[in-house]
Amino acid sequence: MGKSYYITTPIYYVNASPHIGHAYTTIVADVLARYYQLSGFRTFFLTGTDEHGDKIAEAAQQAGVEPKTYADRISAQFRNLWPELSIKNDYFIRTTDENHMQVVRTILQKVYDTGDIYFGHYEGHYCVGCERFYMEKELVGGLCPDHQCEPEFRKESNYFFRMSKYQDWLIQHIQDHPDFIRPERYRNEALAFLREPLEDLCISRPKTRLTWGITLPFDDNYVTYVWFDALINYITGIGYPEGENFRTFWPVAEHLIAKDILKPHGIYWPTMLKAAGIEPYRHLNVHGYWNVDQSKMSKSLGNVVKPLDLKDKYGLDAFRYFLLRDMVFGLDSSFSEESFVQRTNADLANDLGNLISRVMAMALKYFDGTVPQPGATSVADQVFAATARQTREEVDVCFQEMAPHKALMAIWGFISTANKFVVESEPWTLAKDPAKKDRLATVIYNLLEALRCIAVFIAPFIPDTAQKLLAHLGINDPESQDFSTLQDWGRLPPGNPLKKIEALFPRIEVKNMETQEKAAPIFKPEISYEDFEKVDLRVAKVLEAELVPKSSKLLKMKIDIGEERVIVAGMGKDYKPEEIVGKMIVVVANLKPTKLMGVESRGMLLATDTADGLTLLSFDRLPEAGAKVR
Ligand code: MSP
């Protein structure tokens, strides 16, 4: 049996549409799967959606539809997005799939039968956003550290998984396998959790409160806690318990997640596996968070970056490249369109784009559109060829260490060597002297071969560009170009017909950024009038306003909307409190209240996001507070 590789992404909640955070994880998983495939491994890449639990039930209720209808809709958004981003997952799992639900019940029964699930009572602070209970000391100023909202206090009788029993085993396992959780900062974080006594995990929810879940096999009055259900997808997705895929891929399983869900993956999941008699996974790879202009991305702040907007505006490979290159795997990164444009121009338009267009133009001009036959090689040629092999070794190490950004740095090091080779060998001077035709042929051949190697190197990261480049080199069977071909310099057949190349990455002019934006507005999908009618828009007068303590952006406002209410909005950078008092604004009056940094907001104001910041909607004739807007 050959080498195998199995990579998973988190299965995403279906309570919100995909954004660049989801895209990043899934693109990294795609890069890994493609790289291992090109390196001769049999691979399996799993992604999907997590569809049960409070959060989804609430979102469905807000949308006024059944949870399953809601889940179908958002799950399809994820499923349909991935091919648009050239993501080639082998399977898309949904936790509402019947076979998944069956396996969850089997595992629950198995763990119950061994005595590791028991019935007990619980009270604690529950954050619906995180779908989990928090200990008092984990809260920051009484708020959930992730969602900055006050958790609900819940008191319930429930089923518990005896997680505490596996604490010592888990500590030992992490110590014996230093790269079980990586990078190291997250291994340390997991070990830090484990320094405290591990509590048993509440794994059920009473049906009196939540019905949207998998019924426990041993008690009809309860559904399964969403994390216990969701984590099991990693084995159901490859056919546990019987499938051949399970036998092949489970022993080499690697998970890819962001730091937000380290605890369920680093603590709950290995102990659940242990209790069910299944070997733990091999690696948990944890990356940081994408923030936008230094702030956390969130719907309430209105700064969510949508993958398709960027792809449509700048092209898919520029988008994939930016995400992969800009984030140091493991650390947070800040997204801004400015840095996106800068990086695209520097690395793709200049370094890579110029190399390709220069080399192709010279080859077409001097050798009539075919790959020349190289002559005798010089020391410089040998050094150049050796750099390609060395780059392959570096790239391999970067993948072993789970550092895709570093792999790109190594590849761009080779691109820069190739650009230097052009400058140092001066083909344009050689071309003037017919006696040097042989040397010119060798130089151009080496440069074309370097382009072939680059196409192979970049194939996992920016596959569409790699394919185009190979096609321009007259290679019509891209499957023949795997990583093993990087070992022997000279695989590009002389005589191959070259295609005239269009600029693969035109420079983005900064002024173009705006014109393009105007030329291609992107609208949300159509909705019916009945859907629109559900939104209760009202005129409101701002009575009082102040910044929420410790926030530079959130304004708390008392409004008159026919009744007095408090709303919170992320307008603090654009409006001073005193500026907003007295204004007549438009508010969505029937939005479910939400807490922002501990303050409950009962409505959302309408504003437009311009290049100069947010601007409130205003009126040319003043209506009454509370009047309907339609
Ligand atoms: N449903 C759970 C996961 C269950 S896995 C058995 C969940 N879903 S989620 O929709 O909230 O997705 C969280 C994951 O999305 C993160 O771990 C990460 O992979 C990705 N990201 C979401 N926001 C992100 C950023 N802002 N930055 C980077 N990745 C982020 O948790």
Side-chain angles (χ1 to χ4, degrees), residues 54 57-59 61-62 152 588-595 600-604:
D54 283 315
E58 266 186 25
Q61 200 188 9
Q62 267 183 28
E152 288 168 26
V588 184
N590 62 336
L591 202 62
K592 203 164 183 205
T594 179
K595 277 201 176 158
E600 187 176 64
S601 178
R602 292 188 52 225
M604 184 181 83

Side-chain angles (χ1 to χ4, degrees), residues 10-13 19 21-22 25 50 227 234 258 260-261 287 289-290:
I11 46 169
Y12 303 111
Y13 285 131
H19 58 58
H22 308 115
T25 316
D50 186 356
W227 272 105
Y234 297 135
D260 54 334
I261 49 179
H287 65 76
Y289 241 53
W290 278 100

Side-chain angles (χ1 to χ4, degrees), residues 195-206:
R195 272 198 284 279
E196 305 284 328
L198 200 55
E199 288 185 13
D200 289 343
L201 183 68
C202 175
I203 54 135
S204 64
R205 299 290 179 261

Side-chain angles (χ1 to χ4, degrees), residues 171-205:
I171 295 173
Q172 197 58 48
H173 188 80
I174 297 177
Q175 278 164 353
D176 293 345
H177 302 84
D179 54 6
F180 182 59
I181 300 176
R182 60 187 184 180
E184 203 185 350
R185 57 197 294 126
Y186 299 111
R187 168 180 192 263
N188 294 339
E189 206 174 295
L191 285 170
F193 287 137
L194 291 165
R195 272 198 284 279
E196 305 284 328
L198 200 55
E199 288 185 13
D200 289 343
L201 183 68
C202 175
I203 54 135
S204 64
R205 299 290 179 261

Side-chain angles (χ1 to χ4, degrees), residues 387-505:
T387 318
R389 283 191 291 274
Q390 212 177 311
T391 305
R392 191 219 162 158
E393 279 161 29
E394 282 172 43
V395 168
D396 285 344
V397 171
C398 296
F399 275 99
Q400 278 150 25
E401 292 175 352
M402 199 50 221
H405 62 288
K406 275 202 195 158
L408 283 174
M409 284 158 82
I411 297 166
W412 257 251
F414 181 63
I415 291 172
S416 144
T417 305
N419 271 319
K420 271 196 214 117
F421 188 82
V422 175
V423 174
E424 282 162 12
S425 47
E426 295 187 44
W428 45 91
T429 313
L430 298 173
K432 286 187 192 136
D433 184 350
K436 298 203 168 127
K437 185 89 184 168
D438 236 26
R439 179 67 199 142
L440 178 65
T442 312
V443 166
I444 296 295
Y445 180 84
N446 283 336
L447 285 166
L448 291 168
E449 171 66 355
L451 291 188
R452 183 192 70 83
C453 293
I454 291 168
V456 178
F457 279 134
I458 60 176
F461 301 90
I462 44 176
D464 296 359
T465 304
Q467 288 246 5
K468 275 190 208 151
L469 185 50
L470 288 174
H472 281 95
L473 295 169
I475 298 172
N476 295 320
D477 53 343
E479 320 73 55
S480 67
Q481 302 297 309
D482 61 23
F483 266 55
S484 70
T485 67
L486 297 166
Q487 283 316 107
D488 349 294
W489 188 263
R491 291 284 286 254
L492 179 66
N496 251 22
L498 298 169
K499 282 203 199 98
K500 211 167 160 34
I501 199 144
E502 84 269 25
L504 289 179
F505 296 104

Side-chain angles (χ1 to χ4, degrees), residues 60-357:
Q61 200 188 9
Q62 267 183 28
V65 292
E66 286 301 309
K68 183 64 168 67
T69 314
Y70 188 78
D72 286 348
R73 191 188 297 163
I74 309 277
S75 177
Q77 286 184 12
F78 281 93
R79 187 198 285 260
N80 296 338
L81 172 64
W82 303 142
E84 298 243 19
L85 302 183
S86 284
I87 285 165
K88 286 200 342 201
N89 48 300
D90 292 288
Y91 189 59
F92 187 95
I93 190 161
R94 301 182 56 184
T95 53
T96 48
D97 290 343
E98 190 44 55
N99 60 335
H100 168 79
M101 301 207 286
Q102 187 48 46
V103 173
V104 171
R105 285 189 284 261
T106 307
I107 300 260
L108 281 164
Q109 189 66 52
K110 199 167 170 182
V111 181
Y112 184 73
D113 292 343
T114 62
D116 279 346
I117 289 177
Y118 64 91
F119 193 64
H121 304 283
Y122 195 80
E123 51 183 65
H125 307 276
Y126 192 81
C127 171
V128 173
C130 299
E131 298 269 20
R132 77 169 178 99
F133 282 100
Y134 273 92
M135 288 183 283
E136 194 85 48
K137 63 174 182 241
E138 287 180 288
L139 303 175
V140 179
L143 305 181
C144 158
D146 219 23
H147 293 88
Q148 262 101 45
C149 60
E150 200 176 316
E152 288 168 26
F153 192 79
R154 287 187 181 176
K155 224 172 168 177
E156 281 170 7
S157 295
N158 263 314
Y159 286 87
F160 290 82
F161 163 50
R162 237 180 265 285
M163 195 158 69
S164 55
K165 178 173 153 190
Y166 297 100
Q167 175 160 14
D168 293 341
W169 166 79
L170 182 56
I171 295 173
Q172 197 58 48
H173 188 80
I174 297 177
Q175 278 164 353
D176 293 345
H177 302 84
D179 54 6
F180 182 59
I181 300 176
R182 60 187 184 180
E184 203 185 350
R185 57 197 294 126
Y186 299 111
R187 168 180 192 263
N188 294 339
E189 206 174 295
L191 285 170
F193 287 137
L194 291 165
R195 272 198 284 279
E196 305 284 328
L198 200 55
E199 288 185 13
D200 289 343
L201 183 68
C202 175
I203 54 135
S204 64
R205 299 290 179 261
K207 281 196 182 165
T208 46
R209 192 165 59 69
L210 175 75
T211 51
W212 182 233
I214 302 175
T215 300
L216 292 182
F218 40 82
D219 191 337
D220 274 356
N221 297 314
Y222 288 85
V223 293
T224 313
Y225 170 44
V226 63
W227 272 105
F228 201 95
D229 157 358
L231 287 160
I232 291 174
N233 92 87
Y234 297 135
I235 57 174
T236 55
I238 47 169
Y240 173 88
E242 293 301 338
E244 194 236 316
N245 275 345
F246 181 73
R247 281 191 296 279
T248 308
F249 292 110
W250 186 249
V252 292
E254 296 199 22
H255 302 308
L256 181 66
I257 58 164
K259 61 182 187 180
D260 54 334
I261 49 179
L262 172 62
K263 192 166 182 181
H265 284 81
I267 314 276
Y268 306 172
W269 182 222
T271 55
M272 282 166 61
L273 286 166
K274 182 77 183 157
I278 303 167
E279 282 299 301
Y281 53 79
R282 195 164 64 168
H283 296 299
L284 177 62
N285 303 294
V286 188
H287 65 76
Y289 241 53
W290 278 100
N291 297 319
V292 172
D293 297 325
Q294 319 296 338
S295 317
K296 195 170 167 176
M297 232 186 307
S298 85
K299 253 203 272 184
S300 45
L301 293 181
N303 64 352
V304 174
V305 182
K306 304 216 182 87
L308 283 184
D309 291 359
L310 283 167
K311 178 206 156 182
D312 292 345
K313 195 161 163 190
Y314 297 116
L316 173 59
D317 279 356
F319 172 61
R320 284 179 64 119
Y321 178 80
F322 174 78
L323 290 186
L324 294 161
R325 175 62 187 83
D326 212 60
M327 177 169 265
V328 173
F329 191 91
L331 301 182
D332 290 354
S333 226
S334 187
F335 179 87
S336 79
E337 205 158 334
E338 215 182 322
S339 49
F340 182 107
V341 169
Q342 266 171 14
R343 201 172 270 292
T344 306
N345 281 345
D347 296 4
L348 296 179
N350 285 1
D351 298 346
L352 177 59
N354 281 349
L355 176 72
I356 298 174
S357 49

